[in-house]
Amino acid sequence: MKRSLPTLLSLLFTLSASPLYALRPGDPAEELAVKWIRGVPLAVLPPAKEELKTDELKAVVFLLTRSANAPETLTLLNRLRRTYAGSVRFALVTPDREADAAQLLAAFPDFSLPFGIDEKRKLTAQYMNGSLLYPMAFVIDPDGKILWNGEAVDLGEMLEAWRTKQFDAALQRRISPQLDELQTLLRANNDRRMKQVTAAILKSDPGNAAALRLRTFALENSGRSGEAWQLILSQIEKRPRLVRLYFSALDLAGRHPELGSRAAEIAERYSKAVNGDPDADNLMSYLLLNRRPEDPAALRAAQQLLCRAVASLPREASPALRASVTTTRALLEWRLGRPETAWKLQQEATKFWHDAENPAAEKSSRERETLYRTVVELRQTTP
């Protein structure tokens, strides 16, 4: 899930000058006093009886049902629910009307996580305190204290750090006020102070997603895309195995034509630093094929990464991952001028999407099938 830069700007400029979060890491959480309309209600505070206490984390996401990224948020949480089953429990809360929430949920009949309506909007105010950076996630520890807060797009990375025992709760408590300040500084267009605060955060937490995202936006908005590029590269140097950074660089290059030719360079850096991640290999290959279709270096890098993704795909890989990889294989064959093979592979991808129970992706895959088939038929009939 991605936050578009224009959306980020419009939201930030509506923020009040007050602190952006009423609740920060280290604060006691507020119980979810909402009207539950789907799923089993989630209690974020520990039970009164010690023997009922578990080691599970609780992740609560506040979202606006009509926002463009609301469907992506539900898809993200469905994936995270499966990944962290038994160790993390999830819930969604919205201050919107129940009718709006019901309309969103109607498109996701398989979404079974708890979904609550903050009818009085009191709970939302306690957690968000006027911030409009939805969807926002709050992770709560077994003792009922806020462990982390941040945009929902970064929730998966945080949970993985926690699972692998790389999450630093003390660090989060220390930098949380600085992250709040960054948003206020962006609204005030205080570039000098923003640069200082960003540097302080990245010194303590190299590659910090929120700080990098906000600073990159500020630099782009002031016409300094080259400086934004160097900032991302500096973080790659510090944390070369942090996959997200390479995709941040690709996104930046995609928005600025003068940086486009650097995409293959990023792919090369990535391939040398990261191994054993077929999902990321496939995604980077797919992006290169789509964003740099006439770049020979990008085409070669895409082929190499895709071959690595196929070779490292585990036997137990999910149908969704197999569908994604097969779709990219079809696209590569298309780029190489072999539409017959592309059509055959896309048919396989459609079957995988069906097995993955993803109707939207299956529909899109069938549309690609139609394109490839049409080209094959036209080639056969063209004199």
Side-chain angles (χ1 to χ4, degrees), residues 312-344:
S312 61
L313 199 65
R315 288 186 177 181
E316 65 275 12
S318 68
L321 179 54
R322 291 189 179 279
S324 295
V325 171
T326 308
T327 295
T328 307
R329 290 177 63 197
L331 180 58
L332 177 61
E333 292 297 321
W334 171 258
R335 291 279 188 263
L336 296 177
R338 297 193 283 255
E340 293 86 358
T341 308
W343 179 22
K344 179 180 178 182

Side-chain angles (χ1 to χ4, degrees), residues 285-296 298-300 302-303 306 327-343 345-346 368 371-372 375 379:
S285 176
Y286 184 82
L287 292 175
L288 290 169
L289 290 170
N290 274 291
R291 296 179 182 179
R292 303 290 299 172
E294 298 182 6
D295 183 340
L299 179 62
R300 191 178 299 278
Q303 183 185 46
L306 182 57
T327 295
T328 307
R329 290 177 63 197
L331 180 58
L332 177 61
E333 292 297 321
W334 171 258
R335 291 279 188 263
L336 296 177
R338 297 193 283 255
E340 293 86 358
T341 308
W343 179 22
L345 287 169
Q346 198 63 55
R368 285 177 177 268
L371 171 63
Y372 298 155
V375 171
R379 283 168 55 124

Side-chain angles (χ1 to χ4, degrees), residues 227-255:
E227 192 174 336
W229 179 262
Q230 292 303 320
L231 177 62
I232 295 175
L233 290 187
S234 72
Q235 299 308 295
I236 289 176
E237 290 289 339
K238 292 179 180 179
R239 296 191 65 183
R241 292 187 58 80
L242 185 55
V243 172
R244 166 177 50 79
L245 296 175
Y246 298 95
F247 289 103
S248 295
L250 278 186
D251 288 343
L252 182 62
R255 292 192 295 269

Side-chain angles (χ1 to χ4, degrees), residues 50-111:
E50 186 67 25
E51 61 269 22
L52 297 178
K53 188 175 179 180
T54 71
D55 292 330
E56 292 178 313
L57 296 183
K58 315 290 176 58
V60 182
V61 176
F62 288 79
L63 89 164
L64 301 179
T65 56
R66 294 188 177 185
S67 66
N69 52 22
E72 294 180 32
T73 302
L74 268 64
T75 300
L76 170 68
L77 292 183
N78 254 342
R79 177 173 60 81
L80 294 178
R81 170 180 59 85
R82 293 188 292 268
T83 303
Y84 298 99
S87 57
V88 184
R89 296 182 63 190
F90 300 88
L92 277 163
V93 172
T94 182
D96 294 341
R97 298 180 307 151
E98 184 175 346
D100 293 330
Q103 184 176 354
L104 172 64
L105 289 171
F108 292 85
D110 63 331
F111 188 83

Side-chain angles (χ1 to χ4, degrees), residues 132-143:
L132 294 180
L133 284 180
Y134 292 88
M136 186 65 65
F138 293 80
V139 177
I140 300 160
D141 70 16
D143 294 320

Side-chain angles (χ1 to χ4, degrees), residues 18-32:
S18 59
L20 294 177
Y21 303 107
L23 294 178
R24 287 175 171 167
D27 291 340
E30 291 288 339
E31 191 54 271
L32 304 183

Side-chain angles (χ1 to χ4, degrees), residues 1 15 38 85 112 139 148 167 183 209 214 218 221 242 282 351:
M1 182 176 61
L15 296 174
R38 182 173 289 191
S112 59
V139 177
W148 176 86
F167 180 78
Q183 297 177 38
L214 288 168
N221 195 50
L242 185 55
N282 175 67
K351 294 177 182 177

Side-chain angles (χ1 to χ4, degrees), residues 301-314:
Q303 183 185 46
Q304 292 172 346
L305 286 170
L306 182 57
C307 288
R308 193 171 77 168
V310 172
S312 61
L313 199 65

